Amino acid sequence: MLNLRGVTKRYAEGAGFRDVLAGADLQLERGALGALVGKSGAGKSTLLNLISGIDQPDGGEVVVDGTHLEKLSERDRTLFRRQHLGFIFQFYNLVPTLTVEENVRFLLDLNGVAAPQARDRAHALLEEVGLADRAAAFPDRLSGGEQQRVAIARALAHEPSLVLADEPTGDLDGDTGLVILDLLERMTRARGRTLLMVTHDESTLNRADVVFRLASGEVTAERRTPGR
Ligand SMILES: Nc1ncnc2c1ncn2[C@@H]1O[C@H](COP(=O)(O)OP(=O)(O)OP(=O)(O)O)[C@@H](O)[C@H]1O
Ligand SMILES: [Mg+2]
């Protein structure tokens, strides 16, 4: 599903450069749960941005579900992202001026899905994350855990083949974080979707099929026995 080979990324700093990724390799099979760990500043978010096509590598290959992102134009990368990828962020990133239902439908509307279907799909997902009765509310009326449940529904609305999550439980207390983690796992891996998650959380590492450690710009993979 995901194949990174020799990915390099550097940022200009002062008169020189900072090499954030120095030949990173990463392979994740379809339907697997991958956890990405590393110190603050190691380049985890940078790596996710390259996988999502928001940013481009300086060198190497980023192949998502058979598509070479580094060979696409910016416009095609944007279209690819909208159709094939789902994102969940630490701070939910819901659109504050849209209702819960409108947030969940956002990509469906953008992708040209007919309104009745988009509405039904949004409601089915909200049902699944336990927020069917909050469809008309605005995000600022919801708790952190509820906002993250909406964000999960939004990330999955267009049936992405790969879901990327950047510390999705980082802003939540331990119990709420576990609920979110269970939900994410149930709605992704349990249905054959691939999930790559940046995390520091032990319970996530224990559930992962593979733990990727990012240090000094390189990734090392450690296979785990799935199912704890
Ligand atoms: N657009 C940018 N321009 C310059 N430097 C950047 C840019 N984006 C990131 N960096 C630098 O790249 C390094 C990696 O940043 P990144 O955000 O990927 O780290 P991270 O592993 O996600 O850290 P954290 O755990 O704190 O979120 C940092 O040193 C950061 O300052
Ligand atoms: Mg980060």
Side-chain angles (χ1 to χ4, degrees):
M1 170 55 61
L2 183 58
N3 198 346
L4 274 67
R5 275 190 295 258
V7 171
T8 59
K9 184 73 185 173
R10 54 168 38 176
Y11 291 114
E13 194 168 81
F17 293 101
R18 166 191 283 274
D19 287 299
V20 177
L21 299 174
D25 299 312
L26 185 154
Q27 275 86 41
L28 188 61
E29 288 103 59
R30 189 179 299 278
L33 167 56
L36 176 60
V37 301
K39 284 191 199 146
S40 179
K44 304 181 296 296
S45 297
T46 299
L47 197 65
L48 287 197
N49 288 342
L50 298 180
I51 295 169
S52 69
I54 288 171
D55 204 355
Q56 277 199 290
D58 294 317
E61 298 181 342
V62 179
V63 187
V64 179
D65 206 3
T67 299
H68 276 263
L69 295 193
E70 79 282 356
K71 291 182 184 161
L72 297 183
S73 66
E74 182 155 358
R75 183 183 153 68
D76 286 343
R77 273 188 285 131
T78 302
L79 290 177
F80 184 85
R81 183 161 62 241
R82 279 185 201 162
Q83 284 161 7
H84 300 280
L85 300 181
F87 294 94
I88 299 150
F89 305 92
Q90 180 173 358
F91 298 110
Y92 332 125
N93 290 21
L94 299 174
V95 181
T97 54
L98 299 180
T99 65
V100 163
E101 181 194 314
E102 288 164 348
N103 267 281
V104 174
R105 303 172 45 152
F106 190 73
L107 271 185
L108 298 177
D109 294 333
L110 208 58
N111 285 346
V113 174
Q117 277 92 315
R119 188 183 165 279
D120 288 352
R121 173 91 182 126
H123 277 266
L125 280 160
L126 285 172
E127 185 87 44
E128 203 166 342
V129 301
L131 292 172
D133 57 337
R134 309 303 293 276
F138 284 92
D140 67 353
R141 300 289 133 167
L142 304 185
S143 72
E146 288 170 340
Q147 289 186 55
Q148 197 61 306
R149 277 145 65 192
V150 175
I152 290 170
R154 176 183 61 178
L156 298 175
H158 55 301
E159 306 265 13
S161 43
L162 175 65
V163 180
L164 303 171
D166 200 344
E167 301 205 46
T169 63
D171 193 49
L172 302 170
D173 68 65
D175 287 346
T176 309
L178 279 181
V179 170
I180 292 296
L181 218 50
D182 281 338
L183 190 62
L184 248 181
E185 197 171 358
R186 192 166 69 216
M187 293 177 78
T188 55
R189 172 158 66 174
R191 301 212 184 136
R193 286 183 178 129
T194 315
L195 174 63
L196 179 63
M197 182 163 19
V198 173
T199 185
H200 297 287
D201 179 61
E202 255 330 292
S203 56
T204 309
L205 300 186
N206 290 335
R207 294 165 195 237
D209 299 304
V210 49
V211 176
F212 300 105
R213 285 179 204 284
L214 179 54
S216 308
E218 291 180 20
V219 176
T220 51
E222 182 195 327
R223 308 245 146 228
R224 299 279 179 115
T225 317
R228 275 135 274 200

